[in-house]
């Protein structure tokens, strides 16, 4: 089943797909006895990619709240957005 992706979701999905590839590389490296340094560096890249995707999602939600107060697609208060933001900080 294919779901239409809007323009704001496409960069997030691309980032998450890249992170998935990096995570697969980390798993493969561990399974194949990869060097600790290489595994940790790759794992840090995965973590950073996930954080950036999360911040981008929150940023988009904040922009929608500010620019379109009538949008009820995913209603959140400023306090809820702040809490989400802080979970990534």
């Amino acid at each position: 089943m294919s779901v239409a992706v809007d323009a704001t979701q496409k960069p997030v999905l691309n980032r998450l797909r890249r992170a998935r590839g990096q995570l697969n590389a980390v798993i493969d490296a561990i399974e194949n006895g990869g060097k600790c340094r290489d595994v940790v560096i790759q794992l840090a890249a995965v973590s950073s990619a996930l954080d950036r995707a999360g911040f981008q999602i929150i940023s988009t939600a904040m922009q929608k709240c500010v620019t379109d107060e009538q949008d009820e697609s995913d209603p959140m208060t400023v306090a809820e957005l702040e809490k989400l933001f802080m979970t990534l900080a």
Side-chain angles (χ1 to χ4, degrees), residues 12-23:
V12 173
L13 286 172
N14 288 339
R15 188 178 301 278
L16 290 173
R17 287 185 181 111
R18 204 168 26 250
R20 178 174 32 189
Q22 291 170 318
L23 183 56

Side-chain angles (χ1 to χ4, degrees), residues 55-73:
F55 284 125
Q56 196 165 5
I57 290 168
I58 293 169
S59 172
T60 300
M62 291 173 120
Q63 290 172 10
K64 283 176 74 173
C65 282
V66 170
T67 59
D68 188 0
E69 293 179 9
Q70 304 305 316
D71 183 5
E72 293 293 325
S73 62

Side-chain angles (χ1 to χ4, degrees), residues 5 20 26 34 39 52 58 64 70 74 76 82 87-88:
V5 176
R20 178 174 32 189
V26 169
V39 169
R52 287 173 148 294
I58 293 169
K64 283 176 74 173
Q70 304 305 316
D74 190 11
M76 283 190 272
E82 183 178 301
T87 62
L88 294 174

